[in-house]
Amino acid sequence: MESMKSRPEFREWTLRPLPSGDGDGGGAAVAPRCTTNSTATAFVLSTGGFTGNPFHDYTDVLIPAFITAHRFGGEVQFLVSSYKSWWMNKYIQIFQQMSRHDVVDVDADGDEVRCYRSAVVGPEFHRELGVDPTKTPSGYSVLDFRKMLRGAFGLDRATATPSGDRWDIRRRPRLLIISRRAARGRAFMNERAMADMAASLGFDVRVGEPDASTDTSKFARLVNSCDVMVGVHGAGLTNMVFLPAGAVLVQVVPYGKLEWLARNTFAEPSSAMEIHYLEYAVQLDETTLSEQYPADHPVLRDPMAIHKQGWEALKTTYLDKQNVRPHLGRLKNTFLQALKLLPHDKETMN
């Protein structure tokens, strides 16, 4: 991911208490007259930083906003700094689930003086793509966040449905391949062959390539219709938040000793979301890096030497420049594992 970049810029806000009384006699400042009064709680929130990358959209903003706002039962108003209209339009359904009030671009609020009985400045963060229920007022969790997402985007499936006859198109388990363009790095170079192999196992295969222009509602419905989602480590796997409970996430980990990164970002959150997790680690003969560097180069023979050069060197080498070509035989075994993890009707189980 990109969470180890240099620190992003945020607008600074200052909280300044006003003296009580009308200010007569002592020269004390008088509170400005309210132009708007609200019984809601004000929630000052920034959408600056790394937003635009789905992993950071959810980890840094949306889930922390849910953690903080859920306790107010909709009686909260978001005052958003570093407001990006394209970003807010992408996720407005989520904010409408969390609040009964309009979202305010607070940086462009002009001379408006908004008065609230209480205010929260900044969201509460627990972990990557997660909620710690022991730290929430009533024990709500990431499952409640996922329930809210289903309401926001009209998702039908709370749980993966049992699969039936592998050749019954109406009940075949659906597998989604998260696609990437080769120029971006971490693309499947044998994507068509992967899809054909998965179809031979009885999967109804779909391929999707989410990007900044993707309709969030439409893609959320596609993901929610699937039982298995597979992709190379990257922001696209954040769409796991839309998978039904009992579905399977298959994370393909690029070559370069990146298992720690895969674990922190998607492996650990999956359990709390009630999603099965499988991992496919790319080997040396499955990476395009073996075509870019001589066999004795440290990039191939000593990845930890590249790690020691810092995040930018690691990211450029193993995330930006690498595409993968998984062995169909090895990947087939992983897909068969995924099939076994899915729910089945008792009468169809052998």
Side-chain angles (χ1 to χ4, degrees):
M1 307 310 299
E2 298 179 343
S3 57
M4 298 185 185
K5 286 182 177 178
S6 58
R7 183 180 296 274
E9 293 297 322
F10 289 96
R11 182 183 177 94
E12 290 189 7
W13 286 80
T14 301
L15 297 182
R16 198 169 54 239
L18 289 170
S20 59
D22 59 10
D24 290 341
V30 177
R33 185 178 299 276
C34 301
T35 59
T36 302
N37 284 281
S38 177
T39 58
T41 294
F43 185 172
V44 181
L45 178 72
S46 174
T47 55
F50 301 127
T51 52
N53 174 307
F55 179 81
H56 291 289
D57 292 344
Y58 282 88
T59 288
D60 300 348
V61 180
L62 296 172
I63 293 179
F66 168 80
I67 291 171
T68 310
H70 187 67
R71 70 195 69 179
F72 299 112
E75 283 304 313
V76 61
Q77 183 164 38
F78 291 99
L79 309 180
V80 178
S81 182
S82 302
Y83 186 99
K84 307 182 184 88
S85 58
W86 63 267
W87 189 92
M88 189 57 66
N89 290 339
K90 188 178 182 71
Y91 296 115
I92 189 61
Q93 295 99 319
I94 297 177
F95 284 91
Q96 289 170 342
Q97 289 285 312
M98 293 190 287
S99 172
R100 299 188 181 96
H101 303 269
D102 292 338
V103 175
V104 175
D105 177 357
V106 71
D107 295 340
D109 215 21
D111 296 327
E112 192 81 20
V113 179
R114 299 179 181 273
C115 296
Y116 301 88
R117 294 180 180 178
S118 61
V120 175
V121 180
E124 182 177 345
F125 175 86
H126 290 171
R127 58 170 72 107
E128 272 77 4
L129 292 182
V131 180
D132 184 345
T134 67
K135 295 181 180 179
T136 60
S138 58
Y140 50 86
S141 71
V142 74
L143 296 180
D144 297 287
F145 177 76
R146 278 161 49 77
K147 181 179 179 181
M148 183 198 68
L149 291 182
R150 292 195 298 274
F153 297 116
L155 308 183
D156 295 331
R157 305 171 75 213
T159 59
T161 49
S163 57
D165 188 321
R166 65 191 294 223
W167 304 119
D168 182 350
I169 189 65
R170 296 165 300 179
R171 302 187 63 211
R172 287 168 62 187
R174 179 172 287 181
L175 180 144
L176 173 64
I177 297 174
I178 298 294
S179 184
R180 294 172 65 99
R181 293 186 299 277
R184 294 177 60 203
R186 285 168 283 159
F188 290 120
M189 303 304 290
N190 56 345
E191 187 173 273
R192 183 69 264 166
M194 289 170 52
D196 291 342
M197 179 269 288
S200 75
L201 299 178
F203 283 108
D204 170 20
V205 181
R206 304 298 168 96
V207 178
E209 184 182 346
D211 58 28
S213 63
T214 298
D215 183 309
T216 305
S217 296
K218 184 177 180 180
F219 202 79
R221 289 191 291 271
L222 171 61
V223 175
N224 185 250
S225 75
C226 295
D227 304 286
V228 179
M229 187 174 81
V230 57
V232 184
H233 171 82
L237 292 185
T238 310
N239 288 286
M240 68 188 285
V241 296
F242 304 123
L243 286 171
V248 182
L249 174 68
V250 180
Q251 179 173 201
V252 176
V253 183
Y255 183 79
K257 301 291 185 182
L258 300 177
E259 287 75 12
W260 63 272
L261 186 58
R263 180 179 63 252
N264 293 343
T265 49
F266 301 113
E268 291 183 355
S270 63
S271 176
M273 294 187 194
E274 297 185 345
I275 294 170
H276 299 292
Y277 176 81
L278 295 174
E279 198 164 280
Y280 182 99
V282 169
Q283 298 178 345
L284 185 57
D285 58 348
E286 298 173 292
T287 172
T288 57
L289 292 175
S290 62
E291 302 163 9
Q292 301 173 40
Y293 296 92
D296 60 349
H297 197 282
V299 165
L300 303 180
R301 294 302 176 195
D302 188 13
M304 294 312 298
I306 308 302
H307 285 232
K308 291 176 182 178
Q309 295 176 24
W311 171 252
E312 285 301 325
L314 182 156
K315 176 181 179 295
T316 300
T317 303
Y318 294 116
L319 299 182
D320 297 342
K321 292 184 177 180
Q322 176 175 192
N323 293 312
V324 302
R325 187 177 290 103
H327 287 159
L328 295 182
R330 284 185 62 219
L331 190 62
K332 178 179 179 179
N333 290 335
T334 302
F335 286 175
L336 287 172
Q337 281 183 269
L339 274 174
K340 291 179 181 178
L341 290 171
L342 294 176
H344 297 272
D345 282 339
K346 292 181 179 179
E347 61 267 24
T348 64
M349 296 179 65
N350 294 324

